[in-house]
Amino acid sequence: MKEITETIAQALVDAPEDVSVTVTESHHTAILRLRVGYGDAGKVIGKQGRTANALRTILNAVAVKNKKRVLLEIIDDSPPRVIMPLKG
């Protein structure tokens, strides 16, 4: 599942070298954390989450075959926003 996620995500983003997937597995569940570079999270999520949902559907199809449940988390490595207060 890790390889499938990496391959699809690398095809979608502008910076494929920044894509990484970590897997945490328990007895019946696998949690995949997809980390993408700055500004690429929107490309992996898609409009109204359609791309992310399609990726989750593919992963669930693979997981059913292995009798597991899979959760996909998408993490954007963007710098935190700094909100400047307005001067009055």
Side-chain angles (χ1 to χ4, degrees):
M1 285 188 283
K2 178 180 178 178
E3 295 81 17
I4 293 170
T5 307
E6 279 181 346
T7 303
I8 293 172
Q10 286 173 347
L12 294 171
V13 299
D14 290 334
E17 64 276 359
D18 292 339
V19 172
S20 67
V21 178
T22 56
V23 180
T24 306
E25 291 196 39
S26 67
H27 187 63
H28 291 288
T29 306
I31 301 172
L32 282 84
R33 288 183 178 86
L34 171 60
R35 189 174 299 274
V36 295
Y38 175 69
D40 281 336
K43 292 180 175 88
V44 176
I45 295 170
K47 286 187 178 181
Q48 297 181 353
R50 289 186 181 133
T51 306
N53 286 336
L55 183 55
R56 286 184 176 108
T57 300
I58 293 168
L59 292 173
N60 281 323
V62 174
V64 167
K65 196 172 184 181
N66 297 327
K67 297 181 182 175
K68 286 199 174 227
R69 183 171 177 238
V70 66
L71 300 172
L72 175 66
E73 296 178 0
I74 300 170
I75 303 165
D76 185 8
D77 270 347
S78 60
R81 285 191 200 172
V82 177
I83 300 173
M84 301 296 288
L86 295 174
K87 292 183 180 180

